[in-house]
Amino acid sequence: MVRLVGLCGAVVFLFLAGATPQAPDWASVERETLEHFQALLRFDTTDPPGREREAADYLRKVLTVEGIDVQEFSVEPHRPNLVARLKGSGARRPLLLMAHTDTVNVDPAKWTHPPFSAALDAGYVYGRGAVDDKDNVAASLMVMLLIKRLKLPLDRDVIFLAESGEEGSTQVGIQFMANQQFDAIDAEYCLAEGGNVTRIGGQARYASVQTLEKIPYAIELIARGPAGHGSVPLETNAVARLSAAVAAVSAWQPEIRLNETTSAFFKRLAEISEPEAAARYRAVADPARVGEADAYFRKHEPRLAAMLRTTVSPNIFTGGYRINVIPSEATATLDTRILPDEDVPAFLEQVRKVVDDPSVEVRLGKRNTRPGGAGARIDSDVFKAIESAVRTHYQAATLPTMSTGATDMAFLRAKGMQCYGVGPATDIEDGPKGFGAHSDQERILVSELHRFMRFYWDTVVAIAGRR
Ligand SMILES: [Zn+2]
């Protein structure tokens, strides 16, 4: 094992050394990265309504000044998608660097530093988008500038896509680009958000690289029964029937099924864990012991339990409008996250069996869903290049990961692109403390932004540089 790792590292190092004519001046790269990153954080690009225009104009200006041509593709004028391309020799197909300029909304009252201040405090930069996804925007921008300045010889085109609308309005962003402007971004590989490096006690422990993601669906349970006077209880009461249905679905655990990504994830997680935890991670591949491990995960590591199966979470429950009326209808909506290979009609049929009540209709609800698709390979040169750069910059293992949430990579994977989600390191407790993506506040360590930049540069050079 150790020999194999050493060998891979050496091979990647050799072609890295051959491909890099000149190393970046990292002190000045760090200054410039931080400057662009803070500038991007200061644009309020919250979605809705999505005001990506100013951020896109900034990016275009920076790229154009450097002599890099920029194309713009928009469904709505104030929500542009920017594409810039650096030409390679064409020996291999392009690499796409994708990042989104919009962010989720903010409640300014919850922020210690104003959400669009990009304030520096105790080694952190604060701002909406700090880890989702202006870190990737800034790193991708800097990689484009460095390739151009250093005249890095490329075997592939490197394409930068700064997309709008990732946070819930993909029709103006990736859907539009994938369905109507695909020639502009068509590539063999892509790097985007969706991964990160986990720090525990200040040390990088492992990198998650997203190679696959679950697909969001909505399932509705609708209970119907006769309306009536509340003073005369009815066994057919829609709220009571719906409650029983929701309770049954919540207690149910859909079948556990591993895929290439999750199998490798648990195996590698076991390799870097203490013996007791490692035994649980190994147990997922053992039909005799998986039940016990799953029960533990559901209590203590729910994210891992969610990676094992299609999940349903009852998140909306509506019914009734006044105290003395038995309502004729009550509805629950289940946030459903299917495994990418799930048979949706068959799954709905299973839910009907679990509900086991003909007065409760089970159907798909409306949702902006995403296409399923095969995961990115974990035996590709690109995954190996990412692993190698993780070892160099983080001295940590790389875990291929299936996101339980959704990213825009789903639309590209459906087109056959091999997409890998990467991201900077954050402390494991920073999310629960309220500083993560979509949290009340958002922040990143400046030192980790810089480390991510170096990792990203080495990764892109290894994937796209001349061999
Ligand atoms: Zn994001």
PDB file of all heavy atoms in Angstrom, residues 2 7 30 44 116 130 162 166 177 187 193 225 261 271 288 295 299 337 341 353 370 386 411 452 467:
ATOM      1  N   VAL A   2       1.820   1.268   0.932  1.00  0.00           N
ATOM      2  CA  VAL A   2       2.677   2.459   1.049  1.00  0.00           C
ATOM      3  C   VAL A   2       3.483   2.650  -0.232  1.00  0.00           C
ATOM      4  O   VAL A   2       3.602   3.735  -0.754  1.00  0.00           O
ATOM      5  CB  VAL A   2       3.626   2.309   2.263  1.00  0.00           C
ATOM      6  CG1 VAL A   2       4.663   3.412   2.267  1.00  0.00           C
ATOM      7  CG2 VAL A   2       2.811   2.335   3.549  1.00  0.00           C
ATOM      8  N   LEU A   7       4.627   5.475  -5.320  1.00  0.00           N
ATOM      9  CA  LEU A   7       4.833   5.395  -6.768  1.00  0.00           C
ATOM     10  C   LEU A   7       3.937   6.388  -7.509  1.00  0.00           C
ATOM     11  O   LEU A   7       4.388   7.151  -8.354  1.00  0.00           O
ATOM     12  CB  LEU A   7       4.555   3.960  -7.233  1.00  0.00           C
ATOM     13  CG  LEU A   7       4.827   3.679  -8.704  1.00  0.00           C
ATOM     14  CD1 LEU A   7       6.312   3.862  -9.004  1.00  0.00           C
ATOM     15  CD2 LEU A   7       4.407   2.268  -9.061  1.00  0.00           C
ATOM     16  N   GLU A  30      -1.025  35.249  -3.411  1.00  0.00           N
ATOM     17  CA  GLU A  30      -1.882  35.305  -2.214  1.00  0.00           C
ATOM     18  C   GLU A  30      -2.504  36.692  -2.039  1.00  0.00           C
ATOM     19  O   GLU A  30      -3.696  36.810  -1.746  1.00  0.00           O
ATOM     20  CB  GLU A  30      -1.074  34.901  -0.972  1.00  0.00           C
ATOM     21  CG  GLU A  30      -0.747  33.418  -0.979  1.00  0.00           C
ATOM     22  CD  GLU A  30      -0.070  32.929   0.284  1.00  0.00           C
ATOM     23  OE1 GLU A  30       0.242  33.754   1.172  1.00  0.00           O
ATOM     24  OE2 GLU A  30       0.132  31.703   0.384  1.00  0.00           O
ATOM     25  N   ASP A  44     -23.434  42.015  -3.416  1.00  0.00           N
ATOM     26  CA  ASP A  44     -24.603  41.289  -2.890  1.00  0.00           C
ATOM     27  C   ASP A  44     -25.235  40.530  -4.061  1.00  0.00           C
ATOM     28  O   ASP A  44     -25.937  41.110  -4.887  1.00  0.00           O
ATOM     29  CB  ASP A  44     -25.587  42.286  -2.273  1.00  0.00           C
ATOM     30  CG  ASP A  44     -26.888  41.616  -1.837  1.00  0.00           C
ATOM     31  OD1 ASP A  44     -27.074  40.404  -2.106  1.00  0.00           O
ATOM     32  OD2 ASP A  44     -27.727  42.312  -1.226  1.00  0.00           O
ATOM     33  N   PHE A 116     -21.776  41.557   3.672  1.00  0.00           N
ATOM     34  CA  PHE A 116     -21.084  41.856   2.411  1.00  0.00           C
ATOM     35  C   PHE A 116     -19.882  42.766   2.660  1.00  0.00           C
ATOM     36  O   PHE A 116     -19.465  43.522   1.792  1.00  0.00           O
ATOM     37  CB  PHE A 116     -22.058  42.476   1.392  1.00  0.00           C
ATOM     38  CG  PHE A 116     -23.270  41.602   1.190  1.00  0.00           C
ATOM     39  CD1 PHE A 116     -24.504  41.956   1.737  1.00  0.00           C
ATOM     40  CD2 PHE A 116     -23.155  40.391   0.529  1.00  0.00           C
ATOM     41  CE1 PHE A 116     -25.610  41.127   1.602  1.00  0.00           C
ATOM     42  CE2 PHE A 116     -24.250  39.546   0.392  1.00  0.00           C
ATOM     43  CZ  PHE A 116     -25.474  39.916   0.923  1.00  0.00           C
ATOM     44  N   ALA A 130     -18.463  32.975   1.344  1.00  0.00           N
ATOM     45  CA  ALA A 130     -17.050  32.714   1.673  1.00  0.00           C
ATOM     46  C   ALA A 130     -16.648  31.260   1.419  1.00  0.00           C
ATOM     47  O   ALA A 130     -15.530  30.973   1.014  1.00  0.00           O
ATOM     48  CB  ALA A 130     -16.774  33.101   3.126  1.00  0.00           C
ATOM     49  N   ALA A 162     -18.299  31.038 -14.855  1.00  0.00           N
ATOM     50  CA  ALA A 162     -18.847  31.675 -13.649  1.00  0.00           C
ATOM     51  C   ALA A 162     -20.349  31.730 -13.878  1.00  0.00           C
ATOM     52  O   ALA A 162     -20.838  32.518 -14.679  1.00  0.00           O
ATOM     53  CB  ALA A 162     -18.270  33.069 -13.469  1.00  0.00           C
ATOM     54  N   GLU A 166     -27.239  29.172  -9.222  1.00  0.00           N
ATOM     55  CA  GLU A 166     -27.065  27.824  -8.657  1.00  0.00           C
ATOM     56  C   GLU A 166     -27.996  27.592  -7.476  1.00  0.00           C
ATOM     57  O   GLU A 166     -28.483  26.492  -7.268  1.00  0.00           O
ATOM     58  CB  GLU A 166     -25.608  27.617  -8.232  1.00  0.00           C
ATOM     59  CG  GLU A 166     -25.237  26.165  -7.936  1.00  0.00           C
ATOM     60  CD  GLU A 166     -25.544  25.726  -6.505  1.00  0.00           C
ATOM     61  OE1 GLU A 166     -25.721  26.584  -5.618  1.00  0.00           O
ATOM     62  OE2 GLU A 166     -25.601  24.502  -6.268  1.00  0.00           O
ATOM     63  N   MET A 177     -27.077  26.650 -19.701  1.00  0.00           N
ATOM     64  CA  MET A 177     -25.765  26.393 -20.306  1.00  0.00           C
ATOM     65  C   MET A 177     -25.664  24.953 -20.817  1.00  0.00           C
ATOM     66  O   MET A 177     -25.134  24.705 -21.893  1.00  0.00           O
ATOM     67  CB  MET A 177     -24.660  26.676 -19.283  1.00  0.00           C
ATOM     68  CG  MET A 177     -24.504  28.136 -18.892  1.00  0.00           C
ATOM     69  SD  MET A 177     -24.304  29.278 -20.290  1.00  0.00           S
ATOM     70  CE  MET A 177     -22.748  28.724 -21.005  1.00  0.00           C
ATOM     71  N   ALA A 187     -16.647  19.649 -22.096  1.00  0.00           N
ATOM     72  CA  ALA A 187     -15.323  19.267 -21.602  1.00  0.00           C
ATOM     73  C   ALA A 187     -15.333  17.797 -21.211  1.00  0.00           C
ATOM     74  O   ALA A 187     -16.395  17.199 -21.029  1.00  0.00           O
ATOM     75  CB  ALA A 187     -14.950  20.132 -20.392  1.00  0.00           C
ATOM     76  N   GLU A 193     -17.635  23.069  -7.060  1.00  0.00           N
ATOM     77  CA  GLU A 193     -17.829  22.971  -5.612  1.00  0.00           C
ATOM     78  C   GLU A 193     -18.328  21.570  -5.245  1.00  0.00           C
ATOM     79  O   GLU A 193     -18.541  20.727  -6.102  1.00  0.00           O
ATOM     80  CB  GLU A 193     -18.863  24.006  -5.175  1.00  0.00           C
ATOM     81  CG  GLU A 193     -20.255  23.699  -5.745  1.00  0.00           C
ATOM     82  CD  GLU A 193     -21.344  24.608  -5.210  1.00  0.00           C
ATOM     83  OE1 GLU A 193     -21.151  25.209  -4.144  1.00  0.00           O
ATOM     84  OE2 GLU A 193     -22.379  24.720  -5.865  1.00  0.00           O
ATOM     85  N   GLY A 225     -60.724  12.762   3.845  1.00  0.00           N
ATOM     86  CA  GLY A 225     -61.811  12.129   4.577  1.00  0.00           C
ATOM     87  C   GLY A 225     -62.954  13.110   4.681  1.00  0.00           C
ATOM     88  O   GLY A 225     -62.811  14.280   4.297  1.00  0.00           O
ATOM     89  N   THR A 261     -18.819   4.761  -5.363  1.00  0.00           N
ATOM     90  CA  THR A 261     -18.350   5.891  -4.558  1.00  0.00           C
ATOM     91  C   THR A 261     -18.508   5.620  -3.068  1.00  0.00           C
ATOM     92  O   THR A 261     -17.564   5.792  -2.287  1.00  0.00           O
ATOM     93  CB  THR A 261     -19.127   7.177  -4.941  1.00  0.00           C
ATOM     94  OG1 THR A 261     -18.771   7.533  -6.275  1.00  0.00           O
ATOM     95  CG2 THR A 261     -18.804   8.323  -4.011  1.00  0.00           C
ATOM     96  N   GLU A 271      -9.954   3.339   7.013  1.00  0.00           N
ATOM     97  CA  GLU A 271      -8.479   3.308   7.040  1.00  0.00           C
ATOM     98  C   GLU A 271      -7.887   4.451   7.865  1.00  0.00           C
ATOM     99  O   GLU A 271      -6.773   4.343   8.357  1.00  0.00           O
ATOM    100  CB  GLU A 271      -7.925   3.379   5.602  1.00  0.00           C
ATOM    101  CG  GLU A 271      -8.059   2.060   4.853  1.00  0.00           C
ATOM    102  CD  GLU A 271      -7.864   2.215   3.340  1.00  0.00           C
ATOM    103  OE1 GLU A 271      -7.462   3.308   2.880  1.00  0.00           O
ATOM    104  OE2 GLU A 271      -8.142   1.219   2.623  1.00  0.00           O
ATOM    105  N   ALA A 288     -24.270  -8.950   7.583  1.00  0.00           N
ATOM    106  CA  ALA A 288     -24.608  -9.394   8.937  1.00  0.00           C
ATOM    107  C   ALA A 288     -24.464  -8.267   9.962  1.00  0.00           C
ATOM    108  O   ALA A 288     -25.078  -8.310  11.019  1.00  0.00           O
ATOM    109  CB  ALA A 288     -23.706 -10.570   9.332  1.00  0.00           C
ATOM    110  N   ALA A 295     -27.860   1.749  12.548  1.00  0.00           N
ATOM    111  CA  ALA A 295     -28.584   2.285  13.707  1.00  0.00           C
ATOM    112  C   ALA A 295     -27.716   3.300  14.456  1.00  0.00           C
ATOM    113  O   ALA A 295     -28.203   4.349  14.900  1.00  0.00           O
ATOM    114  CB  ALA A 295     -28.993   1.134  14.636  1.00  0.00           C
ATOM    115  N   LYS A 299     -28.299   7.706  14.734  1.00  0.00           N
ATOM    116  CA  LYS A 299     -28.281   8.495  15.971  1.00  0.00           C
ATOM    117  C   LYS A 299     -27.137   9.496  16.015  1.00  0.00           C
ATOM    118  O   LYS A 299     -27.314  10.630  16.440  1.00  0.00           O
ATOM    119  CB  LYS A 299     -28.139   7.556  17.174  1.00  0.00           C
ATOM    120  CG  LYS A 299     -29.452   7.041  17.680  1.00  0.00           C
ATOM    121  CD  LYS A 299     -29.359   6.628  19.149  1.00  0.00           C
ATOM    122  CE  LYS A 299     -30.718   6.325  19.725  1.00  0.00           C
ATOM    123  NZ  LYS A 299     -31.690   5.811  18.757  1.00  0.00           N
ATOM    124  N   ARG A 337     -34.545  12.172  -1.176  1.00  0.00           N
ATOM    125  CA  ARG A 337     -33.227  12.228  -1.837  1.00  0.00           C
ATOM    126  C   ARG A 337     -32.884  10.826  -2.304  1.00  0.00           C
ATOM    127  O   ARG A 337     -32.535   9.962  -1.488  1.00  0.00           O
ATOM    128  CB  ARG A 337     -32.172  12.728  -0.859  1.00  0.00           C
ATOM    129  CG  ARG A 337     -32.513  14.067  -0.217  1.00  0.00           C
ATOM    130  CD  ARG A 337     -32.482  15.193  -1.238  1.00  0.00           C
ATOM    131  NE  ARG A 337     -32.893  16.448  -0.629  1.00  0.00           N
ATOM    132  CZ  ARG A 337     -32.245  17.600  -0.836  1.00  0.00           C
ATOM    133  NH1 ARG A 337     -31.205  17.647  -1.629  1.00  0.00           N
ATOM    134  NH2 ARG A 337     -32.674  18.692  -0.267  1.00  0.00           N
ATOM    135  N   ASP A 341     -29.338   5.671  -8.841  1.00  0.00           N
ATOM    136  CA  ASP A 341     -29.858   4.569  -9.674  1.00  0.00           C
ATOM    137  C   ASP A 341     -31.236   4.097  -9.200  1.00  0.00           C
ATOM    138  O   ASP A 341     -31.694   3.028  -9.585  1.00  0.00           O
ATOM    139  CB  ASP A 341     -28.869   3.391  -9.671  1.00  0.00           C
ATOM    140  CG  ASP A 341     -28.679   2.812  -8.278  1.00  0.00           C
ATOM    141  OD1 ASP A 341     -29.149   3.447  -7.294  1.00  0.00           O
ATOM    142  OD2 ASP A 341     -28.070   1.736  -8.163  1.00  0.00           O
ATOM    143  N   LYS A 353     -46.953   1.091   0.118  1.00  0.00           N
ATOM    144  CA  LYS A 353     -47.059  -0.114   0.960  1.00  0.00           C
ATOM    145  C   LYS A 353     -46.821   0.235   2.419  1.00  0.00           C
ATOM    146  O   LYS A 353     -47.493  -0.275   3.318  1.00  0.00           O
ATOM    147  CB  LYS A 353     -46.033  -1.173   0.511  1.00  0.00           C
ATOM    148  CG  LYS A 353     -46.434  -1.943  -0.728  1.00  0.00           C
ATOM    149  CD  LYS A 353     -45.839  -3.366  -0.692  1.00  0.00           C
ATOM    150  CE  LYS A 353     -46.290  -4.172  -1.892  1.00  0.00           C
ATOM    151  NZ  LYS A 353     -45.559  -3.767  -3.133  1.00  0.00           N
ATOM    152  N   ARG A 370     -33.111  17.207 -10.659  1.00  0.00           N
ATOM    153  CA  ARG A 370     -31.913  17.170 -11.509  1.00  0.00           C
ATOM    154  C   ARG A 370     -31.774  15.800 -12.119  1.00  0.00           C
ATOM    155  O   ARG A 370     -32.296  14.825 -11.581  1.00  0.00           O
ATOM    156  CB  ARG A 370     -30.678  17.466 -10.644  1.00  0.00           C
ATOM    157  CG  ARG A 370     -30.644  18.915 -10.252  1.00  0.00           C
ATOM    158  CD  ARG A 370     -29.812  19.181  -9.021  1.00  0.00           C
ATOM    159  NE  ARG A 370     -30.193  20.482  -8.483  1.00  0.00           N
ATOM    160  CZ  ARG A 370     -29.397  21.548  -8.465  1.00  0.00           C
ATOM    161  NH1 ARG A 370     -28.184  21.472  -8.903  1.00  0.00           N
ATOM    162  NH2 ARG A 370     -29.828  22.687  -7.994  1.00  0.00           N
ATOM    163  N   ILE A 386      -5.899  14.720  -8.230  1.00  0.00           N
ATOM    164  CA  ILE A 386      -6.488  15.400  -7.066  1.00  0.00           C
ATOM    165  C   ILE A 386      -5.929  14.790  -5.778  1.00  0.00           C
ATOM    166  O   ILE A 386      -5.501  15.502  -4.869  1.00  0.00           O
ATOM    167  CB  ILE A 386      -8.032  15.288  -7.096  1.00  0.00           C
ATOM    168  CG1 ILE A 386      -8.599  16.065  -8.293  1.00  0.00           C
ATOM    169  CG2 ILE A 386      -8.638  15.796  -5.792  1.00  0.00           C
ATOM    170  CD1 ILE A 386     -10.083  15.814  -8.554  1.00  0.00           C
ATOM    171  N   PHE A 411     -26.066  18.205 -13.818  1.00  0.00           N
ATOM    172  CA  PHE A 411     -26.453  18.495 -15.206  1.00  0.00           C
ATOM    173  C   PHE A 411     -25.323  18.161 -16.185  1.00  0.00           C
ATOM    174  O   PHE A 411     -25.565  17.824 -17.329  1.00  0.00           O
ATOM    175  CB  PHE A 411     -26.839  19.978 -15.347  1.00  0.00           C
ATOM    176  CG  PHE A 411     -28.102  20.315 -14.607  1.00  0.00           C
ATOM    177  CD1 PHE A 411     -28.063  20.878 -13.341  1.00  0.00           C
ATOM    178  CD2 PHE A 411     -29.341  20.056 -15.175  1.00  0.00           C
ATOM    179  CE1 PHE A 411     -29.223  21.181 -12.657  1.00  0.00           C
ATOM    180  CE2 PHE A 411     -30.512  20.352 -14.497  1.00  0.00           C
ATOM    181  CZ  PHE A 411     -30.453  20.913 -13.230  1.00  0.00           C
ATOM    182  N   PHE A 452      -5.868  26.285  -0.438  1.00  0.00           N
ATOM    183  CA  PHE A 452      -6.748  25.761  -1.493  1.00  0.00           C
ATOM    184  C   PHE A 452      -6.258  26.229  -2.866  1.00  0.00           C
ATOM    185  O   PHE A 452      -6.254  25.476  -3.839  1.00  0.00           O
ATOM    186  CB  PHE A 452      -8.187  26.230  -1.251  1.00  0.00           C
ATOM    187  CG  PHE A 452      -9.158  25.784  -2.311  1.00  0.00           C
ATOM    188  CD1 PHE A 452      -9.354  24.439  -2.573  1.00  0.00           C
ATOM    189  CD2 PHE A 452      -9.878  26.710  -3.053  1.00  0.00           C
ATOM    190  CE1 PHE A 452     -10.258  24.016  -3.562  1.00  0.00           C
ATOM    191  CE2 PHE A 452     -10.776  26.301  -4.039  1.00  0.00           C
ATOM    192  CZ  PHE A 452     -10.964  24.947  -4.291  1.00  0.00           C
ATOM    193  N   ARG A 467       2.017  17.227 -21.119  1.00  0.00           N
ATOM    194  CA  ARG A 467       2.725  16.097 -20.528  1.00  0.00           C
ATOM    195  C   ARG A 467       4.085  15.928 -21.180  1.00  0.00           C
ATOM    196  O   ARG A 467       4.224  16.133 -22.362  1.00  0.00           O
ATOM    197  CB  ARG A 467       1.915  14.822 -20.695  1.00  0.00           C
ATOM    198  CG  ARG A 467       0.722  14.847 -19.766  1.00  0.00           C
ATOM    199  CD  ARG A 467       0.061  13.505 -19.646  1.00  0.00           C
ATOM    200  NE  ARG A 467      -1.012  13.600 -18.657  1.00  0.00           N
ATOM    201  CZ  ARG A 467      -1.954  12.682 -18.516  1.00  0.00           C
ATOM    202  NH1 ARG A 467      -1.957  11.605 -19.259  1.00  0.00           N
ATOM    203  NH2 ARG A 467      -2.878  12.830 -17.599  1.00  0.00           N
TER     204      ARG A 467
END
